[in-house]
Amino acid sequence: MTLTEKLLARAAGKAQVSAGENIWVSADVLMTHDVCGPGTIGVFKREFGASARVWDRQRVVIIPDHYIFTADSKSNRNVDLLREFAREQQLPYFYDVIDDPEGHWKFDPAKGLLKKQYGANYAGVCHTALPQKGHTRPGEVLFGTDSHTCMAGAFNQFATGIGNTDAGFVMGTGKLLIKVPETMHFRIEGRLQPGVMAKDIILHCIGEIGFDGATYRAMQFDGPGVASLSMDDRMTIANMAIEAGGKNGIFEFDARTQEFVEGRTRLNGTRSAFEPVLADADQKFAYEALIQLDTLEPTVACHPDPGQRRKAKELGHIKLDRAYVGSCTGGKTSDFVEFARVLRGRRVAIDTFGVPATPEIVHDLQTTRWGDKTVWQILEDAGVRMTENAGCAACLGGPVDTFGRMNQAGLKCISATNRNFPGRMGHKESQVFLASPATVAASALAGKITDPREYVAN
Ligand code: SF4
């Protein structure tokens, strides 16, 4: 069996499962956020009763992150609904944006869009926050009401996005009927060259198979090249499995996974026991590809979908209006460090936005020094508008007052985010080009799509 088949067999209490089989699996964690949480709660209450209790308080994680720092009252109301539900159910893992469980978040114009407007429990973007807060464990099943839930596959778990109806059912029962996906195998060898990042790996893979090339399939990443990839790198890759239509992305377990998970569960006092799933000798794959890291070059997915793969060096004719680094995929500490590596001592030529995924990342960037400056200062000195308000921000557009949102037709943005269908970051006639933080940085300096090796080699 493949990693996904083995893991699902265990979650179903079976010795063996095959691709295509429908099985009931037990969930280890259910995650929801402010966009889908209210709908999920509505389904749960409708089907299980107004006074029903969730199946396991310790296994429901609620992370408001999408439409948070906005004056839009409907968005604010969604977070209020989560707060009420968490209080009613006494959920220990509700990462509220404010500290007062009876209060309401309100935009503070004095702090504006750049200064922190959240309390001590706020966790930021759900997929990045889950591992930071100790909720990802090898061998487990994670369901989340968000398509990029697949990011947790970096930790050797089966993690997938589900709709509100399924999530309402999981909330009440802890179980879900799913079809075992076929597995596509991406064997990774070699080492990335300077200026090339994990984002380039996954944009390359999606370019190979197209934006629907992995529809309802598992994408398994393994091979000797994985050892050189950090957990952040693996998260970037697993995150975008859904951009090829994948059911999930999954990595093998190794010492790096173990160190990360043990550290985070200890730090947060979350469940620490886990049992990774290890590869069998007789895995059967529906597709096989060899990814040679040494040969990869900075890659861009052009408008209008993540499968429109081109090399950055071929796109110098595309002039840009703005650049954006942020999101679960591209707003991690390591992403901002690579962004800063290119921008250090230089000035951007176009509007450039930086949105860390979580408050912890804001703290990292404001305290990590590089010479006499912090990474945060280096980015601000380069002209990047850095906000402390960690969250999804303009990755999915959001209300019109969202930081970095593309509100005008015709704007072209190079972005470290993960999705670029029309209208994704705001106006339906704007265009998004997906790239690594290094490529975003080089392009922000030049005002046109640029291969970062032009700067990294200097
Ligand atoms: S950062 Fe973007 S992709 Fe990630 S959860 Fe938020 S909206 Fe979705």
mmCIF file of all heavy atoms in Angstrom, residues 33 65-67 125-128 146-149 151 239 243 324 326-330 357 391-397 417-419 424, ligand 1:
data_model
loop_
_atom_site.group_PDB
_atom_site.id
_atom_site.type_symbol
_atom_site.label_atom_id
_atom_site.label_comp_id
_atom_site.label_asym_id
_atom_site.label_seq_id
_atom_site.Cartn_x
_atom_site.Cartn_y
_atom_site.Cartn_z
ATOM 1 N N HIS A 33 -12.749 27.360 10.179
ATOM 2 C CA HIS A 33 -12.388 28.776 10.331
ATOM 3 C C HIS A 33 -13.602 29.669 10.169
ATOM 4 O O HIS A 33 -14.741 29.186 10.108
ATOM 5 C CB HIS A 33 -11.254 29.147 9.381
ATOM 6 C CG HIS A 33 -11.497 28.806 7.937
ATOM 7 N ND1 HIS A 33 -12.675 29.098 7.271
ATOM 8 C CD2 HIS A 33 -10.711 28.172 7.025
ATOM 9 C CE1 HIS A 33 -12.585 28.690 6.022
ATOM 10 N NE2 HIS A 33 -11.413 28.102 5.850
ATOM 11 N N ASP A 65 -9.325 33.319 10.631
ATOM 12 C CA ASP A 65 -8.131 33.810 9.935
ATOM 13 C C ASP A 65 -8.416 34.519 8.617
ATOM 14 O O ASP A 65 -7.593 35.277 8.129
ATOM 15 C CB ASP A 65 -7.172 32.639 9.641
ATOM 16 C CG ASP A 65 -7.799 31.543 8.785
ATOM 17 O OD1 ASP A 65 -9.002 31.607 8.514
ATOM 18 O OD2 ASP A 65 -7.076 30.602 8.390
ATOM 19 N N HIS A 66 -9.599 34.301 8.039
ATOM 20 C CA HIS A 66 -9.808 34.768 6.669
ATOM 21 C C HIS A 66 -10.164 36.256 6.581
ATOM 22 O O HIS A 66 -9.401 37.050 6.063
ATOM 23 C CB HIS A 66 -10.884 33.918 5.996
ATOM 24 C CG HIS A 66 -10.344 32.659 5.392
ATOM 25 N ND1 HIS A 66 -9.750 31.679 6.133
ATOM 26 C CD2 HIS A 66 -10.307 32.225 4.108
ATOM 27 C CE1 HIS A 66 -9.362 30.693 5.331
ATOM 28 N NE2 HIS A 66 -9.693 31.008 4.096
ATOM 29 N N TYR A 67 -11.386 36.589 7.052
ATOM 30 C CA TYR A 67 -11.862 37.982 6.941
ATOM 31 C C TYR A 67 -11.872 38.583 8.339
ATOM 32 O O TYR A 67 -12.914 38.735 8.961
ATOM 33 C CB TYR A 67 -13.271 38.013 6.345
ATOM 34 C CG TYR A 67 -13.406 37.333 4.996
ATOM 35 C CD1 TYR A 67 -14.601 36.730 4.624
ATOM 36 C CD2 TYR A 67 -12.351 37.324 4.089
ATOM 37 C CE1 TYR A 67 -14.737 36.127 3.381
ATOM 38 C CE2 TYR A 67 -12.482 36.711 2.848
ATOM 39 C CZ TYR A 67 -13.682 36.115 2.502
ATOM 40 O OH TYR A 67 -13.816 35.512 1.280
ATOM 41 N N VAL A 125 -3.137 32.329 10.081
ATOM 42 C CA VAL A 125 -3.686 31.462 9.024
ATOM 43 C C VAL A 125 -3.716 30.005 9.494
ATOM 44 O O VAL A 125 -2.692 29.442 9.914
ATOM 45 C CB VAL A 125 -2.873 31.579 7.724
ATOM 46 C CG1 VAL A 125 -3.479 30.678 6.648
ATOM 47 C CG2 VAL A 125 -2.829 33.015 7.237
ATOM 48 N N CYS A 126 -4.872 29.405 9.377
ATOM 49 C CA CYS A 126 -5.126 28.090 9.978
ATOM 50 C C CYS A 126 -4.072 27.031 9.618
ATOM 51 O O CYS A 126 -3.604 26.316 10.499
ATOM 52 C CB CYS A 126 -6.524 27.602 9.614
ATOM 53 S SG CYS A 126 -6.884 27.520 7.847
ATOM 54 N N HIS A 127 -3.698 26.936 8.354
ATOM 55 C CA HIS A 127 -2.808 25.829 7.954
ATOM 56 C C HIS A 127 -1.391 25.996 8.503
ATOM 57 O O HIS A 127 -0.691 25.018 8.729
ATOM 58 C CB HIS A 127 -2.774 25.704 6.432
ATOM 59 C CG HIS A 127 -4.137 25.689 5.833
ATOM 60 N ND1 HIS A 127 -5.077 24.742 6.188
ATOM 61 C CD2 HIS A 127 -4.753 26.523 4.963
ATOM 62 C CE1 HIS A 127 -6.198 24.993 5.547
ATOM 63 N NE2 HIS A 127 -6.040 26.067 4.798
ATOM 64 N N THR A 128 -0.984 27.241 8.680
ATOM 65 C CA THR A 128 0.341 27.494 9.243
ATOM 66 C C THR A 128 0.264 27.414 10.770
ATOM 67 O O THR A 128 1.215 26.989 11.433
ATOM 68 C CB THR A 128 0.840 28.884 8.798
ATOM 69 O OG1 THR A 128 0.475 29.079 7.433
ATOM 70 C CG2 THR A 128 2.348 28.998 8.934
ATOM 71 N N ASP A 146 -11.397 23.652 4.489
ATOM 72 C CA ASP A 146 -10.634 24.556 3.642
ATOM 73 C C ASP A 146 -9.795 23.704 2.714
ATOM 74 O O ASP A 146 -9.175 22.725 3.148
ATOM 75 C CB ASP A 146 -9.726 25.444 4.504
ATOM 76 C CG ASP A 146 -9.100 26.547 3.687
ATOM 77 O OD1 ASP A 146 -8.136 26.264 2.950
ATOM 78 O OD2 ASP A 146 -9.599 27.693 3.755
ATOM 79 N N SER A 147 -9.750 24.086 1.449
ATOM 80 C CA SER A 147 -9.099 23.216 0.461
ATOM 81 C C SER A 147 -7.606 23.036 0.717
ATOM 82 O O SER A 147 -7.035 22.014 0.356
ATOM 83 C CB SER A 147 -9.347 23.745 -0.949
ATOM 84 O OG SER A 147 -8.808 25.032 -1.096
ATOM 85 N N HIS A 148 -6.980 24.027 1.341
ATOM 86 C CA HIS A 148 -5.532 23.892 1.571
ATOM 87 C C HIS A 148 -5.181 23.152 2.865
ATOM 88 O O HIS A 148 -4.018 23.149 3.297
ATOM 89 C CB HIS A 148 -4.858 25.266 1.511
ATOM 90 C CG HIS A 148 -4.944 25.861 0.132
ATOM 91 N ND1 HIS A 148 -5.846 26.834 -0.205
ATOM 92 C CD2 HIS A 148 -4.286 25.546 -1.013
ATOM 93 C CE1 HIS A 148 -5.735 27.125 -1.493
ATOM 94 N NE2 HIS A 148 -4.795 26.353 -2.005
ATOM 95 N N THR A 149 -6.168 22.494 3.440
ATOM 96 C CA THR A 149 -5.905 21.611 4.589
ATOM 97 C C THR A 149 -4.835 20.579 4.233
ATOM 98 O O THR A 149 -4.116 20.082 5.102
ATOM 99 C CB THR A 149 -7.222 20.919 5.014
ATOM 100 O OG1 THR A 149 -8.166 21.932 5.349
ATOM 101 C CG2 THR A 149 -7.039 19.993 6.193
ATOM 102 N N MET A 151 -2.078 20.930 3.310
ATOM 103 C CA MET A 151 -0.726 21.354 3.720
ATOM 104 C C MET A 151 -0.153 20.457 4.821
ATOM 105 O O MET A 151 1.051 20.217 4.881
ATOM 106 C CB MET A 151 -0.768 22.809 4.199
ATOM 107 C CG MET A 151 0.549 23.360 4.659
ATOM 108 S SD MET A 151 0.640 25.121 4.290
ATOM 109 C CE MET A 151 1.381 25.781 5.726
ATOM 110 N N ASN A 239 0.840 21.960 0.489
ATOM 111 C CA ASN A 239 -0.237 22.962 0.438
ATOM 112 C C ASN A 239 -0.860 23.039 -0.945
ATOM 113 O O ASN A 239 -2.080 23.205 -1.091
ATOM 114 C CB ASN A 239 0.354 24.327 0.824
ATOM 115 C CG ASN A 239 -0.641 25.461 0.702
ATOM 116 O OD1 ASN A 239 -0.989 25.852 -0.399
ATOM 117 N ND2 ASN A 239 -1.099 25.996 1.827
ATOM 118 N N GLU A 243 -4.006 22.452 -5.804
ATOM 119 C CA GLU A 243 -3.954 23.258 -7.032
ATOM 120 C C GLU A 243 -3.799 22.398 -8.277
ATOM 121 O O GLU A 243 -3.892 22.898 -9.398
ATOM 122 C CB GLU A 243 -2.845 24.322 -6.945
ATOM 123 C CG GLU A 243 -2.979 25.269 -5.769
ATOM 124 C CD GLU A 243 -4.358 25.915 -5.662
ATOM 125 O OE1 GLU A 243 -5.010 26.133 -6.701
ATOM 126 O OE2 GLU A 243 -4.791 26.168 -4.521
ATOM 127 N N TYR A 324 3.331 40.657 -3.849
ATOM 128 C CA TYR A 324 2.683 40.268 -2.586
ATOM 129 C C TYR A 324 3.366 39.013 -2.044
ATOM 130 O O TYR A 324 3.528 38.021 -2.772
ATOM 131 C CB TYR A 324 1.212 39.980 -2.883
ATOM 132 C CG TYR A 324 0.332 39.693 -1.689
ATOM 133 C CD1 TYR A 324 -0.483 40.687 -1.146
ATOM 134 C CD2 TYR A 324 0.276 38.422 -1.127
ATOM 135 C CE1 TYR A 324 -1.322 40.419 -0.064
ATOM 136 C CE2 TYR A 324 -0.559 38.147 -0.041
ATOM 137 C CZ TYR A 324 -1.358 39.150 0.480
ATOM 138 O OH TYR A 324 -2.188 38.891 1.540
ATOM 139 N N GLY A 326 2.849 36.464 1.196
ATOM 140 C CA GLY A 326 1.984 36.136 2.326
ATOM 141 C C GLY A 326 1.286 34.823 2.094
ATOM 142 O O GLY A 326 1.659 34.064 1.196
ATOM 143 N N SER A 327 0.306 34.503 2.928
ATOM 144 C CA SER A 327 -0.549 33.305 2.859
ATOM 145 C C SER A 327 0.067 32.103 3.570
ATOM 146 O O SER A 327 1.232 32.126 3.973
ATOM 147 C CB SER A 327 -0.893 32.908 1.421
ATOM 148 O OG SER A 327 0.156 32.161 0.827
ATOM 149 N N CYS A 328 -0.740 31.038 3.670
ATOM 150 C CA CYS A 328 -0.255 29.796 4.260
ATOM 151 C C CYS A 328 0.931 29.246 3.472
ATOM 152 O O CYS A 328 1.927 28.801 4.047
ATOM 153 C CB CYS A 328 -1.378 28.755 4.328
ATOM 154 S SG CYS A 328 -2.375 28.624 2.843
ATOM 155 N N THR A 329 0.854 29.329 2.176
ATOM 156 C CA THR A 329 1.928 28.808 1.318
ATOM 157 C C THR A 329 3.200 29.638 1.404
ATOM 158 O O THR A 329 4.290 29.089 1.514
ATOM 159 C CB THR A 329 1.513 28.904 -0.171
ATOM 160 O OG1 THR A 329 0.129 28.785 -0.277
ATOM 161 C CG2 THR A 329 2.264 27.940 -1.024
ATOM 162 N N GLY A 330 3.055 30.958 1.318
ATOM 163 C CA GLY A 330 4.228 31.801 1.102
ATOM 164 C C GLY A 330 4.473 32.848 2.163
ATOM 165 O O GLY A 330 5.265 33.773 1.931
ATOM 166 N N ALA A 357 2.013 34.945 7.889
ATOM 167 C CA ALA A 357 0.854 34.058 8.073
ATOM 168 C C ALA A 357 0.371 34.033 9.520
ATOM 169 O O ALA A 357 -0.829 33.873 9.764
ATOM 170 C CB ALA A 357 1.198 32.650 7.604
ATOM 171 N N GLY A 391 -2.709 37.033 8.712
ATOM 172 C CA GLY A 391 -3.973 36.408 8.323
ATOM 173 C C GLY A 391 -3.981 36.156 6.830
ATOM 174 O O GLY A 391 -2.961 36.323 6.151
ATOM 175 N N CYS A 392 -5.137 35.789 6.317
ATOM 176 C CA CYS A 392 -5.238 35.466 4.891
ATOM 177 C C CYS A 392 -5.136 36.715 4.027
ATOM 178 O O CYS A 392 -4.657 36.659 2.894
ATOM 179 C CB CYS A 392 -6.557 34.762 4.616
ATOM 180 S SG CYS A 392 -6.670 33.157 5.426
ATOM 181 N N ALA A 393 -5.626 37.847 4.552
ATOM 182 C CA ALA A 393 -5.561 39.133 3.844
ATOM 183 C C ALA A 393 -6.001 38.980 2.384
ATOM 184 O O ALA A 393 -7.046 38.398 2.107
ATOM 185 C CB ALA A 393 -4.169 39.741 3.985
ATOM 186 N N ALA A 394 -5.201 39.484 1.441
ATOM 187 C CA ALA A 394 -5.663 39.552 0.048
ATOM 188 C C ALA A 394 -5.453 38.255 -0.725
ATOM 189 O O ALA A 394 -5.749 38.203 -1.925
ATOM 190 C CB ALA A 394 -4.970 40.689 -0.671
ATOM 191 N N CYS A 395 -4.960 37.213 -0.070
ATOM 192 C CA CYS A 395 -4.756 35.942 -0.780
ATOM 193 C C CYS A 395 -6.028 35.514 -1.484
ATOM 194 O O CYS A 395 -5.980 34.973 -2.582
ATOM 195 C CB CYS A 395 -4.307 34.870 0.210
ATOM 196 S SG CYS A 395 -4.286 33.226 -0.471
ATOM 197 N N LEU A 396 -7.169 35.745 -0.842
ATOM 198 C CA LEU A 396 -8.431 35.398 -1.508
ATOM 199 C C LEU A 396 -9.315 36.632 -1.655
ATOM 200 O O LEU A 396 -10.534 36.541 -1.630
ATOM 201 C CB LEU A 396 -9.178 34.271 -0.777
ATOM 202 C CG LEU A 396 -10.040 34.629 0.434
ATOM 203 C CD1 LEU A 396 -10.973 33.482 0.752
ATOM 204 C CD2 LEU A 396 -9.206 35.022 1.583
ATOM 205 N N GLY A 397 -8.706 37.766 -1.868
ATOM 206 C CA GLY A 397 -9.494 38.982 -2.091
ATOM 207 C C GLY A 397 -10.051 39.514 -0.800
ATOM 208 O O GLY A 397 -9.444 40.357 -0.161
ATOM 209 N N THR A 417 1.446 33.532 -3.102
ATOM 210 C CA THR A 417 0.284 32.751 -2.676
ATOM 211 C C THR A 417 0.145 31.501 -3.557
ATOM 212 O O THR A 417 1.052 31.179 -4.322
ATOM 213 C CB THR A 417 -0.977 33.628 -2.721
ATOM 214 O OG1 THR A 417 -1.094 34.187 -4.039
ATOM 215 C CG2 THR A 417 -0.884 34.767 -1.714
ATOM 216 N N ASN A 418 -1.000 30.842 -3.444
ATOM 217 C CA ASN A 418 -1.096 29.519 -4.072
ATOM 218 C C ASN A 418 -2.137 29.379 -5.178
ATOM 219 O O ASN A 418 -2.246 28.318 -5.788
ATOM 220 C CB ASN A 418 -1.399 28.478 -2.983
ATOM 221 C CG ASN A 418 -2.556 28.903 -2.106
ATOM 222 O OD1 ASN A 418 -3.424 29.657 -2.529
ATOM 223 N ND2 ASN A 418 -2.570 28.424 -0.872
ATOM 224 N N ARG A 419 -2.947 30.405 -5.420
ATOM 225 C CA ARG A 419 -4.073 30.219 -6.353
ATOM 226 C C ARG A 419 -4.232 31.489 -7.172
ATOM 227 O O ARG A 419 -4.118 32.590 -6.621
ATOM 228 C CB ARG A 419 -5.335 29.927 -5.534
ATOM 229 C CG ARG A 419 -6.527 29.508 -6.338
ATOM 230 C CD ARG A 419 -7.610 28.960 -5.428
ATOM 231 N NE ARG A 419 -7.338 27.585 -5.040
ATOM 232 C CZ ARG A 419 -8.057 26.899 -4.139
ATOM 233 N NH1 ARG A 419 -9.080 27.483 -3.536
ATOM 234 N NH2 ARG A 419 -7.758 25.643 -3.855
ATOM 235 N N ARG A 424 -9.225 35.978 -7.923
ATOM 236 C CA ARG A 424 -8.781 35.390 -6.654
ATOM 237 C C ARG A 424 -8.332 36.445 -5.633
ATOM 238 O O ARG A 424 -8.621 36.346 -4.457
ATOM 239 C CB ARG A 424 -7.635 34.394 -6.930
ATOM 240 C CG ARG A 424 -6.941 33.875 -5.684
ATOM 241 C CD ARG A 424 -7.843 33.001 -4.850
ATOM 242 N NE ARG A 424 -7.133 32.494 -3.675
ATOM 243 C CZ ARG A 424 -7.667 31.714 -2.762
ATOM 244 N NH1 ARG A 424 -8.936 31.353 -2.867
ATOM 245 N NH2 ARG A 424 -6.982 31.294 -1.738
HETATM 246 S S1 SF4 B 1 -3.869 32.174 3.165
HETATM 247 FE FE1 SF4 B 1 -5.040 31.980 1.282
HETATM 248 S S2 SF4 B 1 -4.922 29.839 0.682
HETATM 249 FE FE2 SF4 B 1 -4.253 29.995 2.819
HETATM 250 S S3 SF4 B 1 -6.082 29.561 4.007
HETATM 251 FE FE3 SF4 B 1 -5.988 31.771 3.744
HETATM 252 S S4 SF4 B 1 -7.158 32.224 1.901
HETATM 253 FE FE4 SF4 B 1 -6.752 30.033 1.923
#
